[in-house]
Amino acid sequence: MSHFWGRRRNLVRGLALSAQLLAAHRLRTLLSISGLFVGVAAMMVMVAIGKGAEQSLLDRLRAMGTDLIVVSATPAPRVAGRPRQVAINTALRATDGDAIMAGSTLAIASAPSISRAVVLRSEDVNRTTALTGTTAEGLRIRNIRPAAGRLFDDEDDRERSRVAVFGPLAARSLFPGVDPVGRTIRLGNQPFEVIGVAEARGVDANGADLDDFVAIPFQAAVRRVLNIPYVHAIHVQAQSSADLEELERDVREILHARLGTKTGVPEPFVIQNQATMLRTERGTAEAMNQLVPAVSGIALLLGGVGILTVMLISVRERTREIGLRRALGASRRDIQIQFILESAMLAATGGGAGIIAGIAVAAGAAAFGQWELIISWPAALLGFASSMLLGIAIGVIPAILAARLEPIAALRAA
C-alpha cells in the first residue's frame, strides 16, 4: 500500500511540474494546442450550423402549412410587338382544386388563392402590402391561426363579406400602438372590417415574409376587389408527406387533362412540392456535414503534430529532471505515464477550449442567421474524446524516448 501511495505522490508531483513547465512556455503551449482547438471548434460550428439551418427550414415549411403542394400560375408569355396584358397565365380556375379533390384519393383538402400587392388605407395612413384572397380551408392548410379576434369562415366567403384578417407585421404598420380588431380599412373603394390578427409565422423557405399580408374571403376578393375569373395558385394538402410525390403526379395529370396542355408546349403552371424543397435543402446540409470529418480531421492531425513537437522539445529540455527522478527511484513506467498524461493534458485543454469557442461562434451564427441554436453534445463529446485519444497516442512517442534515458547518462548529458 505504501508503494502505491508513493508512486501516486510521484505522479502528482510530476504532473504539477509538467503544468508549471507548460505555463512557463505559454506561447509554445498555445501553438501546440491551436490545431486541436481549431479542429474541435470547426466541428462544433459546422454541425450546429447544419442542424440549425435544417431546423429553420422545417420551421419555415411548417409556417407555410404542412404536407402541401402549391400549384402556381406561370408568368404570361410575351407576344412580339404586343404589350403583355396580364402578368400571369390565366388558365387556373378555382374549380381545378375541386377536380383535384375528386380525381386523387391522396388529396384531403384544397383551396384557391389569389394574391396581389394593394394599397390599404386607414384614416390618414396608407400602406402597400400583399393581399391574399382565399377560403377558410385555405387559411387552415396554410397554418394561419388567430392571435386576436377571429378568422373568416365559409359563411363569410359565401356572402362575400367585407372582412379582413391581418398579418402581425401589416397590423403593426397600419395601426401602430392600437388594436386593429373592429377597425375599418379601405381596399380601393371598398370598406373592410378587420376581424382578426394572425399569429406570427416568420419567413417562408424562399425568404418571403409571411407576416406582411391582409387576407380576405376568396369570393370577396374575386368579385368585389379584383373582379377576375382566374386564380393565382391552388394549395393542395396531402394525407401525409410520404404521399407528396405521388400526389404531385396526380395533380399534373389532372391539370393536363383539364387544361388541354400539349406535348412540347410549356405548362401554364408550376408545382412546388414541400418534399422536394426539403430534400434539396437537406442535401445541402448533408454536403456541409460531409465536410466536418475532413476539416476536423486535418485540424486534429495538425494539432497532434504540434503536441508531438512540444513534447519532443520537452524531453530534450528536461533531460536532467528525468535523470534525477530516475536516480531518486522513479521507474520507467512512472516517466512514461507522466509524459503521456502531460500530452493528454494539452489535448484536453485544446479540445475543451475548442468546444467552448465552437458554442460561442455557433451562437453568434444562429443569432445572425435568425435560426435556433442547436448544440450537438454528441459531436462535442466526440471531439473531446478524439482530442484525448490523439493526445494519448501522440504522447507515447516522447514517453518512450524519455523512459529510455539512463539516470547517469541523463545527468551527464544535462
Side-chain angles (χ1 to χ4, degrees):
M1 182 64 73
S2 60
H3 178 67
F4 169 77
W5 287 110
R7 293 184 62 181
R8 185 173 180 179
R9 282 194 296 272
N10 289 338
L11 179 60
V12 171
R13 281 196 293 267
L15 287 175
L17 179 59
S18 297
Q20 292 176 3
L21 291 171
L22 292 175
H25 300 85
R26 293 187 184 89
L27 180 59
R28 191 171 68 191
T29 300
L30 289 175
L31 290 175
S32 69
I33 67 174
S34 61
L36 294 178
F37 171 84
V38 171
V40 175
M43 180 171 65
M44 292 292 297
V45 170
M46 294 180 72
V47 172
I49 289 177
K51 289 185 176 295
E54 183 175 348
Q55 185 61 45
S56 177
L57 172 67
L58 292 174
D59 292 340
R60 291 178 182 183
L61 289 177
R62 293 190 189 102
M64 294 170 60
T66 54
D67 305 329
L68 286 185
I69 281 178
V70 182
V71 183
S72 302
T74 58
R78 289 185 178 274
V79 178
R82 297 181 184 178
R84 189 161 59 181
Q85 300 297 317
V86 292
I88 64 168
N89 268 296
T90 59
L92 287 180
R93 297 290 191 271
T95 52
D96 291 332
D98 299 330
I100 291 171
M101 291 292 295
S104 176
T105 58
L106 301 176
I108 61 173
S110 72
S113 173
I114 61 173
S115 57
R116 182 172 295 180
V118 295
V119 177
L120 304 179
R121 297 178 178 86
S122 174
E123 297 179 352
D124 295 332
V125 180
N126 295 343
R127 187 179 190 279
T128 301
T129 190
L131 170 68
T132 296
T134 189
T135 62
E137 186 80 329
L139 296 179
R140 183 192 66 78
I141 64 178
R142 292 169 69 175
N143 207 26
I144 297 176
R145 296 187 292 266
R150 70 176 181 89
L151 305 180
F152 51 79
D153 53 27
D154 292 333
E155 184 178 354
D156 291 321
D157 193 31
R158 284 193 300 270
E159 295 182 355
R160 305 177 188 175
S161 299
R162 288 181 289 200
V163 294
V165 175
F166 268 69
L169 178 58
R172 288 193 301 270
S173 300
L174 199 61
F175 300 98
V178 297
D179 183 4
V181 177
R183 295 180 178 269
T184 300
I185 62 168
R186 299 192 74 84
L187 289 173
N189 295 322
Q190 299 285 335
F192 279 75
E193 179 189 357
V194 181
I195 61 171
V197 177
E199 292 181 349
R201 296 186 296 158
V203 296
D204 64 15
N206 297 318
D209 198 323
L210 296 175
D211 296 333
D212 189 9
F213 72 92
V214 58
I216 63 176
F218 177 74
Q219 292 298 331
V222 298
R223 302 302 180 190
R224 294 184 182 274
V225 179
L226 301 181
N227 194 28
I228 57 176
Y230 55 89
V231 300
H232 296 127
I234 299 173
H235 291 74
V236 184
Q237 186 176 32
Q239 294 181 6
S240 70
S241 57
D243 297 326
L244 286 174
E245 297 288 348
E246 189 173 351
L247 176 58
E248 180 180 346
R249 289 193 292 270
D250 288 350
V251 168
R252 181 167 274 109
E253 290 176 2
I254 292 169
L255 291 180
H256 280 178
R258 287 180 60 82
L259 303 180
T261 306
K262 298 179 181 179
T263 304
V265 177
E267 295 176 337
F269 59 86
V270 61
I271 298 178
Q272 287 183 304
N273 184 335
Q274 281 188 341
T276 303
M277 296 170 61
L278 181 60
R279 186 164 55 250
T280 301
E281 294 294 337
R282 277 184 169 167
T284 303
E286 288 174 2
M288 177 181 288
N289 291 335
Q290 289 174 359
L291 293 175
V292 173
V295 173
S296 302
I298 293 173
L300 289 175
L301 181 60
L302 293 175
V305 173
I307 291 177
L308 177 61
T309 302
V310 169
M311 296 302 298
L312 291 175
I313 294 173
S314 180
V315 171
R316 296 188 59 181
E317 290 181 346
R318 294 159 61 184
T319 303
R320 182 179 178 82
E321 171 207 332
I322 296 169
L324 185 58
R325 288 193 61 195
R326 289 294 311 279
L328 293 176
S331 65
R332 294 180 185 273
R333 183 179 179 81
D334 291 334
I335 300 298
Q336 289 177 347
I337 292 176
Q338 176 189 344
F339 277 84
I340 289 175
L341 290 180
E342 185 175 321
S343 178
M345 185 164 53
L346 285 171
T349 302
I355 291 173
I356 296 172
I359 292 174
V361 174
F368 180 78
Q370 296 183 343
W371 58 60
E372 181 183 356
L373 173 63
I374 300 178
I375 301 299
S376 175
W377 296 113
L381 180 61
L382 176 62
F384 186 78
S386 299
S387 298
M388 288 292 294
L389 291 174
L390 181 63
I392 292 172
I394 289 295
V396 169
I397 298 174
I400 292 175
L401 294 177
R404 285 179 177 176
L405 295 174
E406 295 294 337
I408 296 176
L411 290 172
R412 285 179 177 173

